[in-house]
Amino acid sequence: NAGVTQTPKFRVLKTGQSMTLLCAQDMNHEYMYWYRQDPGMGLRLIHYSVGEGTTAKGEVPDGYNVSRLKKQNFLLGLESAAPSQTSVYFCASRSHKGTGWGPDEKLFFGSGTQLSVL
Amino acid sequence: QKEVEQDPGPLSVPEGAIVSLNCTYSNSAFQYFMWYRQYSRKGPELLMYTYSSGNKEDGRFTAQVDKSSKYISLFIRDSQPSDSATYLCAMSFTGGGNKLTFGTGTQLKVEL
């Protein structure tokens, strides 16, 4: 059982370049999330999706776009990368059984993508 | 002011020590409280979950929530080198947009 898989694991971009980060989950989860993690800032939500074909903005959405064409995949795009987007990016998924966060509705995280923008 | 505050550490303790990790928060609506553990170069994993106020114990780990003080704690007894990791508190509430608000994480090192 692979869980949540992120590709690539590492990437170096030049300012202005574009790229797409791929997240795939094999747990049939409805909800998927993209976070970035920076020193002293913790995990900050970029975008999330509550089901196939849906997306919503999180805390820091500017400069990023997302798509959820298939339930198992959640793509994060950077159209014109900036040095401020240097970060570690984590994808997560979650099953959903009702309102709130039940004790078995934890986030399953991928192992992250280290992105450097020069 | 951040919604959730957490001392980033680093915190270094000897093996066998009792560790106390804490978070404070400002949003009184939070009712679901979690601790995630993150090893170096890995994604976070859920360690403890608590609903509303009270204590929960799981082996060497105890989570406490004091909603009146807006304060949550994670205690680790008989700490081991394998406990060395970053610990992130996280919280949410019904109607919170299906989002978790994370603390910045406390880096813990347990030394032999």
Side-chain angles (χ1 to χ4, degrees):
Chain A
N1 189 347
V4 178
T5 303
Q6 290 183 235
T7 53
K9 294 190 184 304
F10 304 94
R11 187 71 185 268
V12 178
L13 291 178
K14 294 181 179 178
T15 297
Q17 287 186 319
S18 63
M19 78 162 295
T20 300
L21 282 69
L22 171 64
C23 178
Q25 54 95 2
D26 60 3
M27 296 172 283
N28 200 35
H29 285 170
E30 292 292 334
Y31 288 30
M32 297 187 74
Y33 304 79
W34 275 108
Y35 289 90
R36 60 178 289 174
Q37 188 173 37
D38 303 288
M41 303 296 289
L43 282 163
R44 293 182 292 169
L45 183 63
I46 304 171
H47 286 282
Y48 66 101
S49 168
V50 300
E52 182 178 312
T54 75
T55 62
K57 293 180 180 180
E59 182 184 355
V60 288
D62 293 342
Y64 304 95
N65 57 75
V66 288
S67 64
R68 184 109 181 260
L69 299 180
K70 294 183 178 181
K71 185 178 183 179
Q72 64 268 33
N73 295 337
F74 195 28
L75 306 179
L76 178 70
L78 287 73
E79 290 187 347
S80 180
S84 61
Q85 295 177 304
T86 293
S87 187
V88 180
Y89 291 85
F90 286 100
C91 175
S93 71
R94 167 197 171 203
S95 62
H96 181 63
K97 299 181 181 178
T99 58
W101 287 78
D104 55 351
E105 291 187 56
K106 61 183 178 180
L107 288 176
F108 289 82
F109 283 87
S111 56
T113 295
Q114 175 74 58
L115 175 65
S116 295
V117 183
L118 305 179
Chain B
Q1 183 187 5
K2 293 180 182 177
E3 239 181 333
V4 179
E5 298 279 0
Q6 185 174 9
D7 188 334
L11 179 62
S12 183
V13 301
E15 184 179 8
I18 296 174
V19 177
S20 173
L21 304 169
N22 311 293
C23 287
T24 58
Y25 61 94
S26 57
N27 188 346
S28 59
F30 286 139
Q31 58 192 133
Y32 307 100
F33 302 94
M34 287 149 262
W35 287 94
Y36 279 77
R37 180 174 61 193
Q38 184 178 20
Y39 291 113
S40 182
R41 300 187 184 278
K42 299 289 186 182
E45 293 180 305
L46 181 65
L47 182 63
M48 296 289 284
Y49 169 95
T50 310
Y51 172 69
S52 192
S53 286
N55 294 359
K56 183 175 180 181
E57 188 173 322
D58 185 1
R60 297 184 294 109
F61 299 90
T62 299
Q64 284 188 351
V65 175
D66 182 349
K67 289 193 71 179
S68 63
S69 301
K70 297 190 182 70
Y71 189 87
I72 71 170
S73 300
L74 177 70
F75 297 96
I76 307 174
R77 292 183 299 279
D78 187 25
S79 56
Q80 303 295 310
S82 59
D83 295 328
S84 298
T86 296
Y87 291 80
L88 301 103
C89 61
M91 45 197 82
S92 188
F93 57 95
T94 300
N98 301 296
K99 294 173 284 187
L100 279 184
T101 300
F102 283 88
T104 54
T106 299
Q107 186 179 352
L108 171 67
K109 184 172 184 180
V110 181
E111 312 218 41
L112 290 168

